[in-house]
Amino acid sequence: MSGAHSHSHGHSHGHDHGHSHAPKDFGRAFAIGIVLNTVFVAVEAVYGYISGSMALVADAGHNLSDVLGLIIAWGASVAAKRPATSRFTYGLKSSTILAALANAMLLLIAIGAILFETVHRIIDPVEPEGWTMIWVAGVGIVINTATALMFMRGQHDDLNVRGAFLHMAADALVSVGVVVAGVVILLTGAVIIDPLVSLVIVAVIGWGTWGLLKDSVRLGLAGVPAGVDEAAVFAELKSLPGVSDVHHVHIWAVSTTETALTAHLVMPEGHPGDAFLRDAAHELKHHHAIGHATFQVEKSREACDRCI
C-alpha cells in the first residue's frame, strides 16, 4: 500500500496508518468566499440603511453568520493538517467534525430566524421595498452561487466542506426567493407571496441541514461513517486467509475525510507476519476507504475473554 506501513507489536498486533481520502485543499475557495461575502454583507447593510429596508439589514445579519460559518470550516481544515503530538495522537483532525456540527447549528439558527420573520410577515404583511431588494438579492445570487460552486466538488467526500456548501447554497436559494417573490409582487400586488416563498425555502434548507446535522452528530459520537458498510467490512475481515473468527470490530471517523478501524482476528495458526497485515490494511483501504487499521491477532477467542 503506497504510503502505508505496518507495525508488529510482539506477535499479536498490526497497525496501518494510511489515508482513506487525501483531503483536498479548499483554502483558496474559503478565502475567496469569505472576502466576497463580507463585501456583500457590507453593501447589503449600507443599502438597507439608506433605503430604510429592515429586511435587507436583517438579511445582512444572516449573511454575516454565513461568513462566520466559512471561517469556522476554514479554521478546522487548517487545524486538521497540524501534525500529531503526544497529547493529540491523531493531530487535530477531529476539528473538522466539530466544525461540521457547528455549521449545522448555525443553519438551524438561520432557519429559526427566517421562520420568525416569515410568521411576522404573514400576521402583519409588509409592502416590499421594490427594485432595491431585487437588485441586491440578484447580486447575492451571483456571489453565493459562485462560492457554493467552489465547494461543490468536495461536499460529497468531506462533511466539513458540505457545511460550507450548504451555507452558500442556502443563501443563494434565499436570494432567488427574494427576486421571484419581488417580481411576482410588483406584477400582481400579492404581498402574501413573499412569506409563502420563504416557507418553501425554509423547507429546502431544513432538508439539507438535517442530513448535515445527523451525519456530524454520528461522527461526533464515534459512529460508523455513512459511507462505510460495517457488515461488509466484517465479512471481508472474516474471509482473510487463516482467520477463523473476528470480534471487537470498531469503526469510527478520525476526521470528516479519514476513517479508522480496530479489530481482533482469531487465527489458530498464530501471527501470519507483517505481509498479511499490510495486505489486510490495503484491502480495507481499497474497498472501504479505511485508512487507519489496527489488528490484534489471537490464537483463540478465549484468549480475549476479558477484552473490552
Side-chain angles (χ1 to χ4, degrees):
M1 177 174 61
S2 177
H5 54 277
S6 298
H7 301 299
S8 176
H9 303 276
H11 293 286
S12 59
H13 302 275
H15 194 179
D16 170 77
H17 285 295
H19 297 282
S20 54
H21 294 289
K24 297 180 179 67
D25 187 3
F26 286 90
R28 184 177 180 182
F30 280 120
I32 294 173
I34 289 170
V35 170
L36 286 178
N37 282 274
T38 299
V39 171
F40 178 59
V41 166
V43 170
E44 194 173 29
V46 169
Y47 268 91
Y49 178 77
I50 293 175
S51 66
S53 170
M54 289 309 298
L56 280 179
V57 174
D59 193 49
H62 164 65
N63 287 328
L64 187 61
S65 73
D66 291 326
V67 173
L68 177 60
L70 286 177
I71 292 173
I72 291 173
W74 191 12
S77 68
V78 171
K81 296 174 184 175
R82 293 178 64 86
T85 66
S86 59
R87 177 67 64 178
F88 297 97
T89 55
Y90 276 117
L92 300 178
K93 298 179 186 297
S94 293
S95 60
T96 55
I97 298 174
L98 297 178
L101 182 57
N103 270 320
M105 299 306 295
L106 282 175
L107 281 164
L108 288 177
I109 292 172
I111 288 173
I114 296 172
L115 272 178
F116 179 82
E117 179 65 19
T118 299
V119 172
H120 177 71
R121 290 194 178 193
I122 291 175
I123 296 174
D124 184 18
V126 177
E127 188 73 26
E129 283 75 8
W131 288 109
T132 299
M133 289 185 65
I134 292 175
W135 284 115
V136 172
V139 174
I141 292 173
V142 174
I143 291 177
N144 291 315
T145 300
T147 306
L149 289 174
M150 289 189 290
F151 295 109
M152 180 175 286
R153 65 188 174 91
Q155 61 146 332
H156 298 296
D157 299 324
D158 189 339
L159 199 62
N160 185 40
V161 173
R162 193 202 304 178
F165 170 80
L166 283 176
H167 269 291
M168 296 301 99
D171 267 0
L173 190 61
V174 169
S175 296
V176 169
V178 171
V179 171
V180 171
V183 171
V184 173
I185 290 170
L186 288 174
L187 292 175
T188 67
V191 178
I192 192 64
I193 195 68
D194 185 26
L196 292 181
V197 169
S198 294
L199 288 177
V200 174
I201 291 170
V202 164
V204 175
I205 298 174
W207 178 264
T209 300
W210 171 247
L212 177 65
L213 180 64
K214 181 177 64 175
D215 288 345
S216 58
V217 168
R218 179 197 292 120
L219 298 191
L221 294 175
V224 178
V228 177
D229 183 345
E230 59 270 35
V233 171
F234 185 90
E236 181 154 335
L237 290 174
K238 198 166 183 179
S239 69
L240 292 172
V243 175
S244 63
D245 193 14
V246 178
H247 61 109
H248 287 86
V249 177
H250 300 286
I251 307 169
W252 72 97
V254 177
S255 71
T256 51
T257 59
E258 298 178 49
T259 304
L261 169 145
T262 59
H264 292 204
L265 309 179
V266 178
M267 306 186 73
E269 299 301 320
H271 196 291
D274 289 349
F276 169 87
L277 300 177
R278 284 193 299 269
D279 290 345
H282 173 77
E283 291 302 306
L284 288 177
K285 181 181 179 183
H286 180 68
H287 294 135
H288 306 284
I290 296 174
H292 298 263
T294 303
F295 308 109
Q296 177 168 313
V297 176
E298 303 155 353
K299 286 191 173 184
S300 68
R301 182 71 178 259
E302 291 71 24
C304 196
D305 280 342
R306 295 186 180 182
C307 290
I308 298 176

